[in-house]
Amino acid sequence: MNDKIAVIRGATTVNSDTAKDICESVTELVGKLVSENGLNTEDNKPIFCIISSTADITAYYPARAVRESGVLDCPLFSCLEPPIKGSLPMCVRVMVEAVGLDSARHVYLRGAKVLRPDLCGTFAVAIDGPSGAGKSTIAKLLAKSLNMTYLDTGAMYRAIGLKMHNSGINISDEAGINRILCDTDISVEYKDGVQKVYLDGKDVGEEIRKHYVSKLASDFSAIESVRKKLVEMQRKIASERDCILDGRDIGTKVLPNAPVKFFLTASTEVRAKRRYDELTAKGEKCDFVTVKKDIESRDYNDSHRKVDPLKRAADAIEIDSSDMSVEQVVAKMTEEIERKRGERK
Ligand code: DC
């Protein structure tokens, strides 16, 4: 046995501030950390563990979960993290020191591998808002002019909705949804700066834009396991490059530490007209009244679902684009992004 001391890190987010959820997440985290590193064995001994949690975790001491689970046999120290603007909420971090390890295997669960904004290497812009507010048009233009990657997160929910539809899965069939999710490969690639979405290896870029897929995407996006899978993918993509992401929960959930956040809206009438023009330009048959009703029903679905509903982040800049041209919105956002980028240099 070598007598080097290794430091193993781990972190997890917690679904809600309840004893049950805190206990479950922390036990899973420490259990994985122990098994991945072969701790508690003759050769690899944990000697000390520090646990820290964000101040929004109040229902249960995370350290108590570690103690009660019995998986880590060493002294524990627990502390509360100071509030850091924009840092990942509901997060528990552990640091274990152990002797005898040749290398440490760090463990990050439930999307917890998100750096604090002050330590973050990449730059992200979050654009949230309801359907038809112009998010994707604006985000594409900004990404091009600012040399950033555009991530259309709605396309990912559309691909999942399409897969569930093709597999004959109903929105109330939780077991079926989870089974399909495990068996679904969604990937996002960039060709000449354009995002391509592949579902099980097939380019579904055109199909997911069809009208019938919008409702499917909205319905299945309310399912927690669907969101968990896609949020993790989105965070990973954003951790690898400078990104502009558009969606419903980017500023509130996916990247709460994004340095620039916008909430783009427009009146229902204007949004329905834009969607109608877009669909008819592509040759889809539709009537304005139905498109408007669909927009209203999606607005309701997206903002009333239990998990990460569409909501303006407290620190997002709200822009109502009803009476603005695309160029005006782009100019306003560019100014803000450049200012924030400048502050980081
Ligand atoms: O932006 P879009 O219309 O392509 O999105 C399709 C649906 O996906 C939308 O009705 C809600 C859902 N969605 C979401 O819940 N969270 C996101 N970040 C993006 C989209």
Side-chain angles (χ1 to χ4, degrees):
M1 168 174 145
N2 75 46
D3 55 2
K4 242 177 44 201
I5 294 179
V7 175
I8 313 159
R9 291 179 181 281
T12 183
T13 53
V14 170
N15 266 349
S16 73
D17 187 26
T18 57
K20 181 177 167 292
D21 278 351
I22 298 167
C23 216
E24 194 179 290
S25 294
V26 173
T27 306
E28 185 191 7
L29 171 68
V30 181
K32 281 227 163 84
L33 206 132
V34 166
S35 62
E36 299 252 322
N37 289 282
L39 297 182
N40 287 338
T41 60
E42 265 311 296
D43 287 340
N44 300 329
K45 287 229 167 296
I47 52 175
F48 194 66
C49 173
I50 298 176
I51 301 143
S52 71
S53 53
T54 46
D56 47 5
I57 293 179
T58 58
Y60 193 84
Y61 286 112
R64 201 173 143 194
V66 180
R67 175 69 66 229
E68 285 174 358
S69 71
V71 290
L72 199 59
D73 183 19
C74 69
L76 307 175
F77 176 83
S78 153
C79 58
L80 216 59
E81 294 178 14
I84 292 166
K85 190 172 175 288
S87 69
L88 194 64
M90 302 285 259
C91 191
V92 179
R93 280 170 255 267
V94 295
M95 195 185 92
V96 178
E97 290 186 4
V99 275
L101 290 178
D102 289 327
S103 63
R105 296 176 75 95
H106 307 299
V107 177
Y108 294 95
L109 302 178
R110 301 174 195 244
K113 201 176 179 183
V114 177
L115 287 177
R116 285 170 15 189
D118 50 339
L119 304 175
C120 193
T122 55
F123 186 83
V125 175
I127 306 181
D128 289 304
S131 311
K135 300 185 298 291
S136 62
T137 307
I138 307 283
K140 263 184 225 159
L141 290 168
L142 285 172
K144 196 155 185 225
S145 69
L146 297 166
N147 197 21
M148 295 170 78
T149 296
Y150 165 49
L151 179 60
D152 171 1
T153 62
M156 299 164 91
Y157 287 95
R158 284 170 180 268
I160 290 273
L162 180 63
K163 173 74 183 257
M164 296 295 167
H165 175 75
N166 291 345
S167 312
I169 297 291
N170 186 285
I171 188 75
S172 53
D173 178 4
E174 201 184 320
I177 293 173
N178 290 336
R179 181 167 44 78
I180 297 292
L181 274 183
C182 292
D183 195 30
T184 298
D185 176 38
I186 292 197
S187 60
V188 173
E189 287 176 22
Y190 294 91
K191 294 222 165 91
D192 305 324
V194 177
Q195 174 177 314
K196 297 252 172 210
V197 179
Y198 294 90
L199 177 61
D200 300 323
K202 189 174 160 216
D203 182 352
V204 287
E206 252 180 55
E207 193 62 23
I208 59 170
R209 290 290 142 213
K210 294 199 172 148
H211 191 48
Y212 78 99
V213 183
S214 303
K215 168 92 170 75
L216 288 166
S218 181
D219 286 348
F220 284 98
S221 70
I223 309 288
E224 191 166 2
S225 49
V226 169
R227 303 203 70 81
K228 189 168 167 249
K229 178 174 172 122
L230 296 189
V231 167
E232 270 179 30
M233 279 181 66
Q234 291 155 13
R235 284 178 175 160
K236 182 162 185 301
I237 294 170
S239 72
E240 292 165 347
R241 57 195 111 190
D242 289 355
C243 266
I244 299 192
L245 299 90
D246 81 0
R248 306 292 187 285
D249 59 340
I250 310 300
T252 51
K253 171 77 180 189
V254 181
L255 299 174
N257 56 3
V260 194
K261 297 180 189 176
F262 297 105
F263 193 76
L264 187 63
T265 60
S267 70
T268 319
E269 197 73 17
V270 168
R271 292 187 289 121
K273 173 82 172 61
R274 287 178 189 162
R275 192 60 99 204
Y276 173 79
D277 289 346
E278 193 186 312
L279 290 168
T280 46
K282 276 196 259 167
E284 271 206 57
K285 283 209 165 43
C286 55
D287 70 278
F288 178 74
V289 177
T290 312
V291 171
K292 188 171 167 204
K293 271 204 186 123
D294 285 351
I295 288 250
E296 282 165 345
S297 122
R298 274 217 285 155
D299 282 357
Y300 186 86
N301 262 355
D302 296 346
S303 51
H304 285 80
R305 66 175 176 235
K306 274 226 282 283
V307 200
D308 307 328
L310 165 67
K311 186 165 81 184
R312 183 174 85 85
D315 52 350
I317 299 166
E318 183 158 348
I319 300 177
D320 183 337
S321 70
S322 306
D323 298 316
M324 289 172 84
S325 67
V326 167
E327 292 72 27
Q328 283 172 320
V329 178
V330 169
K332 190 170 165 57
M333 288 190 177
T334 303
E335 193 185 323
E336 192 58 31
I337 297 167
E338 295 289 30
R339 195 171 65 74
K340 281 281 163 58
R341 261 180 158 181
E343 279 173 13
R344 285 166 58 106
K345 282 184 186 146

